[in-house]
């Protein structure tokens, strides 16, 4: 019996633990997930300040363009104004400097004429509030800024930095990974002996894990030997918060991951109603979450995307787990298995009709790694669908919104 994909995904997510909260440095929080809501302890900006280099004035003094005002102070960013403005006076001021008492507008330098002999000529009337950034204009004291569950990007961490609020995040998992198979040799092997192949899955898994911001422990290539696999597992459960393996979970005589774990009770081996990525082992080994991915490289990717990525993000405390999907047109159609959710590897372009258009990026067998590398998206053909006619509509799961625009497209001939 095959298990529906969503049902298995829910089971996986339900069993993911959190790893405890830690305080981290601002930049170290990037990629981690906030464990607490963040409220602003104070206004941002904390004081009203100039948005432009220019002159702080009383707007009412400037209704007649060409008026000369006496320059009575100069306020740099970081300085404190020493003069209260009264009618007929102005203070030279730099971007970010506090607004002098009495002033209610900034006239940008460009709107003035040389401040000679202590005078500045204002060429255009100012309105109250012009080019003044109010206190709390970015964030008000007490306001909810971020919710727990947010995976922090550089921009979020910089907001925390500006508020001086140290990020409290969920600890990120250490993830052990290994590939299994007697046929595997190091990717650095120049000449392959008959039957051997280079291990590509560990490079793939390492990259996908690194993208998630987890710490990776590489256990290398494990031979198709139950004892060797058990030894590696024993080490891994001591080291890691989660374990990801490739290969050995299927029906073959040497599928040692399955042979080693099948009867221990804590890991189930499933046939998932998806393609690629049908065989999948999941459970715990000594209480450590275990993901037994298939061996075929494209299956590794799809299984990682559908199970491991959302599961590790759950472990990291994130509330957004799944990649963005957009509606698109499958220009070349697909003949898919109606019993399974099929992830078709496609390249995408946004056409002049404003829609996303997709085409298969190459062969759709689960060993054709190159077609995966060429793909921008997985076209999702849900179980129960079967054939998609050329020009039919599909959901596109964008696996890496590509840097799609060349220099020429973005900048023209410049
Ligand atoms: P398995 O599930 O172990 O039977 O592997 C399925 C297929 O994936 C076989 O053709 C393997 O040779 C291939 N395979 C397994 N592991 C890797 C790997 N680490 N890198 C590349 N191909 C692999
Ligand atoms: Mg194998």
């Amino acid at each position: 019996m095959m298990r529906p994909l969503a049902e298995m995904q829910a089971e996986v997510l339900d069993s993911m633990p959190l790893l405890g909260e830690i305080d981290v440095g601002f930049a170290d929080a990037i990629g981690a997930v906030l464990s607490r809501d963040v409220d602003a302890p104070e206004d941002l900006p904390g004081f009203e300040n100039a948005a432009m280099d220019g002159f702080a004035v009383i707007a009412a003094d400037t209704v007649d363009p060409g008026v000369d005002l006496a320059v009575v102070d100069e306020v740099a960013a970081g300085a404190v104004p020493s003069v209260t403005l009264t009618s007929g006076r102005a203070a030279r001021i730099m971007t970010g400097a506090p607004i002098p008492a009495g002033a209610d507008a900034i006239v940008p330098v460009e709107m003035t004429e040389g401040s000679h002999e202590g005078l500045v000529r204002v060429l255009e009337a100012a309105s109250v509030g012009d080019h003044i950034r109010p206190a709390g204009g970015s964030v008000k004291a007490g306001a909810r800024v971020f919710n727990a569950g947010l995976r922090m990007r550089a921009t979020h961490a910089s907001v925390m930095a500006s508020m001086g609020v140290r990020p409290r995040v969920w600890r990120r998992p250490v993830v052990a990974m290994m590939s299994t198979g007697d046929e595997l040799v190091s990717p650095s092997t120049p000449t392959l002996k008959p039957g051997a192949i280079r291990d590509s899955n560990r490079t793939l898994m390492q990259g996908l894990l690194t993208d998630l911001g987890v710490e990776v422990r590489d256990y290398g290539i494990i031979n198709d030997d139950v004892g060797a696999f058990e030894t590696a597992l024993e080490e891994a459960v001591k080291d890691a918060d989660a374990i990801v393996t490739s290969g050995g979970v299927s029906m073959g005589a040497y599928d040692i991951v399955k042979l080693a774990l099948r009867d221990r009770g804590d890991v189930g081996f499933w046939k998932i109603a998806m393609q690629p990525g049908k065989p999948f082992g999941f459970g715990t080994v000594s209480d450590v979450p275990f993901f037994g991915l298939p061996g075929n490289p494209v299956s590794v990717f799809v299984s990682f995307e559908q199970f491991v990525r959302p599961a590790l993000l759950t472990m990291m405390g994130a509330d957004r787990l799944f990649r963005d999907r957009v509606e698109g047109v499958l220009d070349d159609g697909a003949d898919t298995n109606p019993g399974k959710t099929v992830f078709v590897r496609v390249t995408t372009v946004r056409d002049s009709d404003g829609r996303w258009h997709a085409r298969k990026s190459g062969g759709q067998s689960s060993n054709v790694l190159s077609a995966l590398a060429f793909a921008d998206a997985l076209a999702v053909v849900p179980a129960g669908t079967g054939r998609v006619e050329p020009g039919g509509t599909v959901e596109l799961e964008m696996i890496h919104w590509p840097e799609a625009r060349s220099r020429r497209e973005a900048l023209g001939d410049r």
Side-chain angles (χ1 to χ4, degrees), residues 178-181 183-185 195 197-203 205 221 224 246-252 254-256 279 293-297 300 366-367 369:
M178 60 190 85
S179 52
T180 69
E183 72 279 33
L184 303 177
V185 296
I197 62 170
R198 297 186 184 87
D199 174 10
S200 59
N201 287 347
R202 254 176 331 124
T203 300
M205 294 191 292
I221 297 167
D224 286 329
S246 86
V249 294
S250 197
M251 309 294 283
Y254 301 97
D255 283 335
I256 50 109
L293 306 186
N296 277 306
V300 168
S366 58
N367 62 320
L369 193 48

Side-chain angles (χ1 to χ4, degrees), residues 201-219:
N201 287 347
R202 254 176 331 124
T203 300
L204 179 61
M205 294 191 292
Q206 168 120 38
L208 296 172
L209 289 167
T210 304
D211 280 351
L212 274 175
V214 305
E215 196 182 318
V216 182
R217 297 277 157 80
D218 183 359
Y219 278 74

Side-chain angles (χ1 to χ4, degrees), residues 19 171 173-177 215-217 219 233-244 285-289 315:
L19 299 175
R171 184 171 71 74
V174 174
V175 181
M177 60 154 199
E215 196 182 318
V216 182
R217 297 277 157 80
Y219 278 74
L233 266 190
E234 268 167 45
E235 287 305 310
V237 295
K238 284 187 242 153
D239 260 17
D241 302 301
I243 301 168
V244 183
V285 177
S286 307
D287 292 328
V288 176
M315 252 180 135

Side-chain angles (χ1 to χ4, degrees), residues 24-32 34 38 40-42 44-45 138-139 145-146 150-167 169:
V24 291
F26 296 103
D28 294 337
I30 297 165
L34 287 176
V38 176
E42 52 196 36
L44 249 187
S138 168
V139 179
V145 186
F146 300 131
L150 173 75
R151 187 153 171 247
M152 302 254 280
R153 295 191 294 263
T155 46
H156 302 122
S158 71
V159 170
M160 304 284 286
S162 71
M163 299 190 301
V165 178
R166 245 178 114 73
V169 299

